[in-house]
Amino acid sequence: MTADSGILVLAGTPIGDVADAPPRLAVELASADVVAAEDTRRLRRLTQALGVQTSGRVVSYFEGNEAARTPELADALEAGSRVLLVTDAGMPSVSDPGYRLVAAAVERGVRVTAVPGPSAVLTALAVSGLPVDRFCFEGFLPRKAGERRSRLADVAAERRTLVYFEAPHRLDDTLAAMAEVFGAGRRAAVCRELTKTYEEVRRGGLGELAEWAAEGVRGEITVVVEGAPEQTVVLDAGEMVRRVRVREEAGERRKEAIAAVAAEAGLPKREVFDAVVAAKNAERSGA
């Protein structure tokens, strides 16, 4: 870190109620040399609500221009500027723009700090009623059905509580896919419009929640899903191979069949894959 380098400040912004803004946010907005905002119009509304005026240069920094604008902001940091990064809601770089700039700042030896603020991930976890001692954040699932199901299969045996973001118009499809892969009875909570006027937390089994969401849901959505139960099925290599074949004969692709059997047994996918490969090699050799 050079003596004349600047500082990158990642600031959390309210996820709903503007009163949740940390006091330091107003100070940083007023004093930053450069404010990089995901949406400059939303930034104006936020500063008006907080009764603060920005004195520095305001630039947009969103998914569409993140790669191109990062070098410009990194140059400003290296030249000694105090750059404040804010997104529409929550913490920058958590499923929002920011990671590229943080990486660039670190690479150039620029100090990076944060103004902690509201987080949809932690808020949803706290109110979900599901275990919070161990969890993992999975962000947004792929939009395509096959890719979405494959991603879910990858974590079907995950014991930790899972947290997802989802768009309201895709929620019913996502919950239906979760019910199929994780099991309709797996407990979950759909957290909608957190900290806002119409906040709602709907709890239940994934199958039940999928039926509810089919009627249409609006607002910002965070989904919290219970982790996989302890292993209750003990399978030897032969039984693993048999179950994979049954699924393949029913039309599943091998990759999906292996993931499903691994989830049933609470085993790593690699273990089931190795058993399938060993069985195929044995067949070829006539053993």
Side-chain angles (χ1 to χ4, degrees):
M1 185 182 302
T2 60
D4 58 350
S5 63
I7 182 170
L8 173 60
V9 183
L10 310 176
T13 54
I15 60 176
D17 191 336
V18 75
D20 292 334
R24 274 182 58 205
L25 176 59
V27 175
E28 293 291 347
L29 285 166
S31 60
D33 299 308
V34 181
V35 179
E38 185 176 9
D39 186 326
T40 56
R41 291 168 299 180
R42 288 199 182 192
L43 174 65
R44 282 196 296 273
R45 291 198 291 271
L46 177 62
T47 55
Q48 289 170 359
L50 295 176
V52 64
Q53 233 178 353
T54 56
S55 58
R57 181 165 59 100
V58 175
V59 299
S60 63
Y61 189 74
F62 60 98
E63 185 178 359
N65 73 355
E66 186 178 1
R69 179 143 281 170
T70 292
E72 172 194 331
L73 293 174
D75 287 344
L77 286 165
E78 202 166 24
S81 294
R82 188 179 190 89
V83 177
L84 177 68
L85 178 60
V86 294
T87 58
D88 291 345
M91 285 299 297
S93 82
V94 180
S95 279
D96 274 322
Y99 169 75
R100 283 189 177 94
L101 184 54
V102 172
V106 170
E107 185 178 348
R108 298 194 190 200
V110 174
R111 182 186 169 199
V112 180
T113 189
V115 177
S119 164
V121 176
L122 297 181
T123 303
L125 270 169
V127 303
S128 69
L130 297 172
V132 298
D133 53 332
R134 298 175 66 231
F135 69 92
C136 55
F137 175 56
E138 289 289 307
F140 284 95
L141 286 165
R143 297 183 181 186
K144 294 183 178 179
E147 294 176 4
R148 179 171 56 230
R149 193 180 188 287
S150 177
R151 181 77 63 81
L152 290 171
D154 285 342
V155 294
E158 174 58 63
R159 297 287 305 282
R160 294 172 294 178
T161 299
L162 302 162
V163 184
Y164 295 89
F165 288 159
E166 191 51 280
H169 61 279
R170 290 197 298 269
L171 181 63
D172 55 341
D173 289 337
T174 290
L175 290 172
M178 287 178 171
E180 181 183 355
V181 177
F182 296 158
R186 180 86 72 90
R187 293 188 301 161
V190 176
C191 305
R192 187 180 72 84
E193 295 290 87
L194 287 168
T195 77
K196 299 178 183 177
T197 303
Y198 297 104
E199 175 181 286
E200 178 183 19
V201 180
R202 177 76 62 146
R203 304 175 182 88
L206 284 168
E208 172 191 346
L209 290 172
E211 291 181 5
W212 162 74
E215 299 176 4
V217 178
R218 293 182 179 181
E220 301 287 334
I221 306 292
T222 305
V223 181
V224 185
V225 184
E226 181 181 34
E230 291 187 33
Q231 178 179 342
T232 56
V233 180
V234 179
L235 305 181
D236 58 23
E239 180 61 15
M240 283 189 250
V241 172
R242 187 192 71 78
R243 292 193 180 201
V244 169
R245 285 177 176 167
V246 167
R247 286 178 171 275
E248 285 187 292
E249 290 169 0
E252 282 191 22
R253 293 183 301 176
R254 177 164 297 175
K255 180 180 178 182
E256 295 174 349
I258 287 172
V261 173
E264 290 171 2
L267 295 171
K269 288 185 292 183
R270 169 58 64 176
E271 190 169 333
V272 180
F273 173 79
D274 289 345
V276 172
V277 171
K280 186 166 286 292
N281 290 339
E283 290 174 1
R284 287 174 180 168
S285 64

